[in-house]
């Protein structure tokens, strides 16, 4: 059975070619055609030999994602719903930032972490995404941007510059595929997206945080924390019962000591759950002395969940700043187009109301 060419890192493709009697360096040429020149037909790759083109056609497919829905916000955010080959659906979001074009990538169909506040948690995990299904999210959005800026092709905004692996699913639950995906998009012969422009978010899979730390890469790590103590976190995030805050922060400290990299703590503010001044003081105490910062996030409400957006965001932020915590308020994107993670897919499948 033919495999997607987008499943292969440069090293794995080069090794496969070499094992079959072709030159290893041809993998660089193929990468350049696919990811730089956007040529999606082996026959049009003019510097490849005829035998190699036949071999590639016999062993690989150049596939694509089927776009079901594209919604664009008043702020320029674009949210896409894709159908995969097995008819399952995933979401991808393009956010136009001051510093460039950032894409939020999905890594699983559904999410088994079942965080109580999250629309993704309404959808059971069906499977991990394959490498090509993540790579194609970037390729597709690059094509959208290329068309948008076709009259100014050298504009830096005509291509994806940053990636946040924070879409549907727990990235570290699909660790190997996610890491191959990162290797592909980061490669000089591919999209060449710098490692420091890539962030992977986890809700706290402690063994994988250790494994990620041992890779000693420049890729950023974000922790979905959302609570300053075990009592609140247990109610919001079932994973905390397996890896409570004490174990999580042991892993966080290991990561920082191993990589000397700063870490991001994501904290969604939910009314009367985790947004009191006392909670802010607890959070400040929890992260004291850690090389990191807090990313405060307004909650995107989902009707099927009981939680409400905090009305005390400014007060919470002020307490953190007074306690010398490095904190920012995340800019909201796409709040008029089903902004909550997993919401567009859940609405289409009738899991939450207002089906598309």
């Amino acid at each position: 059975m033919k495999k997607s060419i987008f499943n292969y890192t440069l090293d794995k493709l080069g090794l496969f070619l070499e094992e079959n009697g072709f030159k290893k360096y041809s993998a660089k040429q193929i990468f350049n055609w696919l990811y730089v020149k956007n040529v999606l037909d082996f026959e049009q790759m003019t510097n490849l030999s005829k035998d190699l083109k036949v071999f590639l056609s016999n062993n690989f497919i150049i596939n694509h994602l089927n776009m079901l829905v594209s919604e664009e916000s008043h702020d320029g955010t674009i949210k896409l719903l894709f159908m995969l080959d097995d008819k399952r659906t995933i979401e991808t979001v393009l956010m136009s930032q001051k510093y460039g074009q950032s894409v939020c990538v999905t890594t699983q169909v559904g999410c088994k972490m079942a965080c109580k506040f999250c629309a993704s948690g309404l959808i059971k995990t069906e499977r991990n995404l394959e490498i090509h299904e993540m790579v194609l999210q970037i390729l597709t959005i690059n094509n959208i941007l290329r068309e948008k800026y076709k009259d100014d092709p050298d504009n830096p905004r005509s291509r994806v510059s940053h990636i946040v692996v924070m879409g549907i699913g727990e990235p570290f639950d699909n660790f190997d595929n996610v890491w191959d995906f990162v290797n592909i998009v980061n490669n000089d012969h591919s999209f060449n997206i710098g490692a420091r422009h890539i962030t992977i978010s986890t809700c706290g899979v402690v063994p994988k945080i250790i494994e990620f730390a041992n890779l000693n890469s420049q890729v950023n790590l974000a922790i979905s924390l959302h609570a300053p103590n075990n009592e609140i976190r247990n109610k919001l995030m079932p994973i905390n019962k397996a890896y409570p805050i004490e174990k999580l922060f042991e892993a966080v400290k290991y990561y920082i000591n191993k990589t000397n990299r700063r870490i991001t703590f994501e904290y969604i503010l939910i009314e009367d759950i985790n947004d009191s001044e006392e909670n802010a003081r607890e959070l400040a105490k929890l992260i004291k002395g850690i090389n990191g910062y807090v990313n405060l996030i307004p909650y995107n409400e989902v009707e099927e969940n009981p939680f409400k957006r905090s009305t005390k965001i400014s007060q919470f932020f002020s307490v953190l700043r007074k306690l010398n915590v490095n904190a920012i308020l995340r800019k909201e994107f796409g709040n008029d187009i089903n902004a909550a993670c997993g919401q567009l897919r859940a609405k289409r499948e009738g899991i939450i109301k207002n089906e598309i």
Side-chain angles (χ1 to χ4, degrees), residues 165-284:
V165 188
M166 299 181 183
I168 298 172
E170 164 55 55
F172 281 174
D173 206 29
N174 189 14
F175 190 95
D176 291 341
N177 284 353
V178 168
W179 190 242
D180 275 356
F181 159 74
V182 168
N183 282 327
I184 291 171
V185 299
N186 172 239
N187 193 278
D188 292 348
H189 300 280
S190 175
F191 299 123
N192 195 24
I193 297 172
R196 294 190 178 195
H197 290 175
I198 302 171
T199 300
I200 299 177
S201 176
T202 177
C203 65
V205 185
V206 166
K208 293 301 180 181
I209 294 173
I210 301 299
E211 187 174 346
F212 181 68
N214 289 335
L215 293 172
N216 209 15
S217 79
Q218 296 297 301
V219 174
N220 302 306
L221 178 64
I223 302 293
S224 293
L225 186 59
H226 310 311
N229 59 55
N230 285 321
E231 181 181 1
I232 296 174
R233 204 165 191 263
N234 283 341
K235 294 176 182 177
L236 294 177
M237 305 176 71
I239 193 172
N240 198 69
K241 295 174 184 177
Y243 304 114
I245 284 177
E246 294 79 11
K247 289 185 178 180
L248 174 60
F249 272 75
E250 285 177 9
V252 164
K253 291 172 183 177
Y254 179 86
Y255 168 83
I256 293 172
N257 290 334
K258 184 75 175 180
T259 66
N260 198 32
R261 301 279 295 152
R262 186 172 69 162
I263 202 163
T264 301
F265 295 102
E266 298 167 320
Y267 197 101
I268 293 175
L269 286 159
I270 304 172
E271 184 72 10
D272 296 332
I273 299 293
N274 64 355
D275 64 340
S276 70
E277 291 190 13
E278 177 59 28
N279 294 151
R281 287 190 286 271
E282 284 183 283
L283 178 60

Side-chain angles (χ1 to χ4, degrees), residues 2-52:
K2 294 182 182 180
K3 293 185 177 181
S4 171
I5 190 73
F6 302 113
N7 265 343
Y8 284 74
T9 65
L10 183 67
D11 288 344
K12 289 180 179 179
L13 182 59
L15 181 62
F16 184 72
L17 294 177
E18 193 173 49
E19 289 173 344
N20 286 275
F22 297 97
K23 299 295 184 182
K24 192 173 182 178
Y25 72 79
S26 294
K28 293 180 180 179
Q29 296 173 309
I30 295 166
F31 259 50
N32 186 262
W33 283 111
L34 292 172
Y35 299 114
V36 180
K37 297 179 180 177
N38 196 43
V39 171
L40 305 179
D41 182 343
F42 293 129
E43 281 300 317
Q44 294 180 28
M45 299 179 181
T46 54
N47 60 350
L48 304 184
S49 69
K50 183 178 180 179
D51 287 346
L52 179 53

Side-chain angles (χ1 to χ4, degrees), residues 274-300:
N274 64 355
D275 64 340
S276 70
E277 291 190 13
E278 177 59 28
N279 294 151
R281 287 190 286 271
E282 284 183 283
L283 178 60
K285 184 178 180 180
L286 181 64
I287 66 173
K288 184 178 180 180
I290 291 177
N291 182 18
Y293 73 97
V294 177
N295 190 6
L296 294 176
I297 307 168
Y299 179 57
N300 285 312

